[in-house]
């Protein structure tokens, strides 16, 4: 199991084996979660770019932001009479 040492400034270098396994690169944002006051989970924060196409279904073309905004506006107009 890879280990790391906490510096006096509270910094830790993530071992290369772990960085490689998680696909971490310089500049990546990381989320830390403390579990049961003893365990720390480290997760790579996903960027909005990674979410692109996430909700796409087979045989369905991706919508543009403008098309999504029009769809939302149409929904609110029908449901609430909002223009």
């Amino acid at each position: 199991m890879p280990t790391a040492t906490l510096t006096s400034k509270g910094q830790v270098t993530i071992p290369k084996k772990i960085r490689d396994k998680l696909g971490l690169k310089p500049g990546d944002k990381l989320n830390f979660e403390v579990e049961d006051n003893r365990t720390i989970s480290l997760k790579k924060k996903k960027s909005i770019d990674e979410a692109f196409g996430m909700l796409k279904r087979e045989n369905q073309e991706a919508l543009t932001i403008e098309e999504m905004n029009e769809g939302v506006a149409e929904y609110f107009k029908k449901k609430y009479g909002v223009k």
Side-chain angles (χ1 to χ4, degrees), residues 31-43:
N31 290 327
F32 294 86
E33 186 175 319
V34 178
E35 302 167 0
D36 62 43
N37 286 335
R38 190 176 166 98
T39 305
I40 298 172
S41 293
L42 170 69
K43 296 178 184 176

Side-chain angles (χ1 to χ4, degrees), residues 49-73:
D49 293 338
E50 293 178 76
F52 181 76
M54 194 176 212
L55 302 177
K56 185 177 179 293
R57 296 185 183 118
E58 271 189 57
N59 302 321
Q60 178 187 28
E61 289 191 30
L63 299 175
T64 66
I65 295 292
E66 291 78 17
E67 290 169 324
M68 286 186 247
N69 286 340
E70 287 172 11
V72 170

Side-chain angles (χ1 to χ4, degrees), residues 1-19:
M1 178 185 306
T3 60
T5 303
L6 184 67
T7 69
S8 61
K9 292 184 177 183
Q11 298 171 331
V12 174
T13 299
I14 301 169
K16 183 170 179 5
K17 187 175 183 178
I18 302 298
R19 292 192 315 262

